[in-house]
Amino acid sequence: MSTVFNFTFVPWFRSVAPYIHKFRHQTFVIGLTGEAIAAGKLASIAQDLAMIQAMGVKIVLVHGFRPQVNEQLRLKGQEARYSHGMRITDPVALDCAQEAAGQLRYEIEAAFSQGLPNTPMAGARVRVISGNFITARPVGVIDGVDFLSSGLVRKVDTEGIQRTLDMGALALISPFGFSPTGEAFNLSMEDVATSVAVALQSDKLIFLTEVPGIRSKLDDPQSEIDTELPLADAKRMMAELPAPTLPTDTGFYLQHCIRACEGGVERSHIIPFALDGSLLLEIYVHDGIGTMVVDEKLESVREATLDDVAGILQLIEPFEKDGTLVKRDRAEIERDASSYTIIEHDGVIFGCAALHPYPEERTGEMAALTVSPQSQSQGDGERLLKRIEARARAQGLQSIFVLTTRTMHWFIKRGFVQVSPDWLPEARKRKYNWDRRSQVLVKKLA
């Protein structure tokens, strides 16, 4: 095994470990579009879901079958009919939906029975259990359009699904529901997945879709994906968009993510099935690769406590080793824990900075400003600086200063000016390391 592989694998695995720990015993509802299956992605998605389940996550898989039903209709010489973004399910379409659901259930169960060949997971067959978990009601007539056997979710058998998950099995749900009188209704995968996620109060709802996520600029198809969208912003966006009718419309999956978050699901995701491993990248990488709709910003800036000391030490250790930061021992950080401000995301500390005041000189030192390499260039350093400035003003300080050997230009761009070490407060000047020759920069506070 190459040294390069070791060098990259070890820090990668350490960065993933907190998420493995966090998501163990949590429940994820996965909405898998029929288009993903039609594109030949089922085998790789099943392998990824098997690994995720092996790491302790409880999985409910809701599959769609839009293209499969359309293909069945085409073979019978029929056309698919839609209105208001929903299928009009006549008797022929209902038969086609039942055939497609049966075939897809067979394919999905087969995919989860394979394990991972030539690996320790070769025998790790995932037990799949499905059932009549959904009670449905008819869509009825909307704007003069009779949707016939198209339905909406009326009730979810949460007890049955939970019992399946507690047995260590994957719960598989087809987009079909039945009325109390036994009448069958064709449902949309999106409605079923959202209803199940809300009923279970799942930790995540994830749609594997044709689209890469929500663009940061809706009028620019080349703009980057907005990886974290607060619920309030998502609702404002939805109100400005035209009513979605096609899966590729911006609001098509977004409307269901909003509904899930309003119903108590903490995080709802829209990710592309075209990217291999998108589930793993979205779940176990800090920023993910699709769009996550959250009820509030998961990233918080707050003052540190003693419980954060270990995370701060882990964050700053690489920068101490390469000489960017002066080495600090644990006792020193524990003593000054309340002086630190941290940026935390999903329980992981990605940035920190400390404020050490010198009240007599009406100034304070900002020390140990650190941002994790995997989240740099995203404004975290700027957020920490603003928080330190606010803390300094609240203490009546008129300026803050930093000592740095490598990041002088970053501070100058943000209003700092270079001064002589003789400017330092007497107490700090006595501790100045002349061998290190750190640059002293000062910023006056308005």
Side-chain angles (χ1 to χ4, degrees), residues 49 53 59-61 112 126-129 164-165 168-172:
L49 286 173
Q53 190 190 53
I59 295 174
V60 179
L61 179 61
F112 280 108
V126 176
R127 198 162 27 147
V128 177
I129 296 178
T164 297
L165 298 175
L170 179 147
L172 175 62

Side-chain angles (χ1 to χ4, degrees), residues 316-328 365-370 402-408 411 418 421 424 428-441:
I316 67 177
E317 182 182 18
F319 297 93
E320 292 176 338
K321 286 182 177 179
D322 68 12
T324 302
L325 294 178
V326 176
K327 186 170 180 59
R328 294 166 174 80
E365 179 182 7
M366 183 171 71
L369 175 61
T370 311
V402 296
L403 276 68
T404 180
T405 58
R406 302 188 185 183
T407 55
M408 182 173 67
F411 289 105
Q418 187 174 359
L424 292 170
R428 183 64 180 89
K429 195 186 304 183
R430 288 194 292 270
K431 294 187 291 183
Y432 181 79
N433 186 340
W434 292 94
D435 292 332
R436 185 173 168 82
R437 300 179 63 185
S438 297
Q439 303 294 320
V440 181
L441 298 108

Side-chain angles (χ1 to χ4, degrees), residues 181-202:
T181 59
E183 184 180 0
F185 290 101
N186 172 35
L187 312 176
S188 76
M189 176 275 287
E190 298 79 21
D191 179 38
V192 174
T194 304
S195 298
V196 170
V198 171
L200 290 175
Q201 289 292 281
S202 67

Side-chain angles (χ1 to χ4, degrees), residues 18 68 72 81 133 178 245 255 273 286 290 319 373 393 418:
Q68 289 80 6
Q72 292 282 353
R81 293 191 296 149
F133 297 123
F178 301 91
T245 58
Q255 61 185 333
F273 64 71
H286 171 51
F319 297 93
R393 290 190 190 95
Q418 187 174 359

Side-chain angles (χ1 to χ4, degrees), residues 34 37 63-65 68 99-109:
I37 301 173
H63 73 82
F65 52 19
Q68 289 80 6
E99 292 175 21
Q103 178 64 28
L104 287 181
R105 177 180 169 182
Y106 166 81
E107 292 180 15
I108 292 171
E109 290 178 353

Side-chain angles (χ1 to χ4, degrees), residues 57-77:
V57 177
K58 300 177 181 179
I59 295 174
V60 179
L61 179 61
V62 182
H63 73 82
F65 52 19
R66 189 179 297 109
Q68 289 80 6
V69 174
N70 290 346
E71 177 63 16
Q72 292 282 353
L73 285 168
R74 188 188 66 79
L75 293 174
K76 295 181 179 181

Side-chain angles (χ1 to χ4, degrees), residues 304-317 330 333-334 337 342 349:
T305 68
L306 285 174
D307 293 335
D308 300 312
V309 170
I312 293 172
L313 284 166
Q314 185 178 33
L315 176 67
I316 67 177
E317 182 182 18
R330 186 184 185 99
I333 295 178
E334 286 181 347
I342 64 169
I349 296 174

Side-chain angles (χ1 to χ4, degrees), residues 5-299:
F5 176 82
N6 295 350
F7 183 76
T8 56
F9 173 78
V10 172
W12 170 84
F13 195 77
R14 286 172 177 164
S15 71
V16 168
Y19 295 105
I20 296 175
H21 172 73
K22 177 179 176 62
F23 297 140
R24 186 177 297 277
H25 307 307
Q26 289 193 357
T27 300
F28 294 177
V29 176
I30 312 293
L32 176 63
T33 60
E35 285 80 0
I37 301 173
K41 302 293 184 180
L42 179 58
S44 60
I45 291 171
Q47 288 184 0
D48 290 348
L49 286 173
M51 285 191 284
I52 293 168
Q53 190 190 53
M55 288 185 279
V57 177
K58 300 177 181 179
I59 295 174
V60 179
L61 179 61
V62 182
H63 73 82
F65 52 19
R66 189 179 297 109
Q68 289 80 6
V69 174
N70 290 346
E71 177 63 16
Q72 292 282 353
L73 285 168
R74 188 188 66 79
L75 293 174
K76 295 181 179 181
Q78 302 289 320
E79 287 188 5
R81 293 191 296 149
Y82 293 90
S83 181
H84 298 74
M86 293 182 289
R87 185 187 297 278
I88 299 172
T89 308
D90 58 22
V92 177
L94 184 62
D95 286 341
C96 292
Q98 290 170 337
E99 292 175 21
Q103 178 64 28
L104 287 181
R105 177 180 169 182
Y106 166 81
E107 292 180 15
I108 292 171
E109 290 178 353
F112 280 108
S113 298
Q114 294 177 19
L116 297 180
N118 298 319
T119 74
M121 289 187 69
R125 293 176 56 192
V126 176
R127 198 162 27 147
V128 177
I129 296 178
S130 59
N132 56 338
F133 297 123
I134 306 297
T135 302
R137 63 178 176 84
V139 171
V141 179
I142 300 177
D143 295 333
V145 178
D146 189 347
F147 284 85
L148 302 172
S149 293
S150 293
L152 298 170
V153 176
R154 172 177 291 186
K155 184 180 178 182
V156 177
D157 179 10
T158 54
E159 184 180 346
I161 296 174
Q162 194 60 59
R163 203 160 41 233
T164 297
L165 298 175
D166 291 342
M167 288 174 12
L170 179 147
L172 175 62
I173 302 179
S174 298
F176 261 104
F178 301 91
S179 71
T181 59
E183 184 180 0
F185 290 101
N186 172 35
L187 312 176
S188 76
M189 176 275 287
E190 298 79 21
D191 179 38
V192 174
T194 304
S195 298
V196 170
V198 171
L200 290 175
Q201 289 292 281
S202 67
D203 299 280
K204 285 184 182 292
L205 168 63
I206 303 174
F207 288 114
L208 270 166
T209 75
E210 310 90 322
V211 297
I214 306 299
R215 299 285 180 185
S216 56
K217 298 178 181 177
L218 297 181
D219 57 350
D220 182 4
Q222 300 304 317
S223 63
E224 61 184 13
I225 297 299
D226 196 337
T227 56
E228 188 175 315
L229 190 60
L231 177 59
D233 291 350
K235 291 170 72 173
R236 279 194 297 269
M237 183 184 297
M238 197 70 210
E240 297 170 359
L241 291 169
T245 58
L246 299 174
T248 50
D249 291 342
T250 300
F252 191 83
Y253 296 103
L254 183 60
Q255 61 185 333
H256 298 285
C257 290
I258 292 172
R259 178 183 149 207
C261 285
E262 290 180 327
V265 179
E266 290 186 359
R267 306 164 180 84
S268 298
H269 305 248
I270 303 170
I271 64 173
F273 64 71
L275 178 63
D276 186 38
S278 58
L279 273 168
L280 301 176
L281 290 167
E282 181 71 7
I283 294 171
Y284 296 110
V285 175
H286 171 51
D287 288 316
I289 46 85
T291 294
M292 175 172 63
V293 179
V294 293
D295 198 3
E296 60 182 15
K297 275 283 188 183
L298 295 180
E299 188 168 90

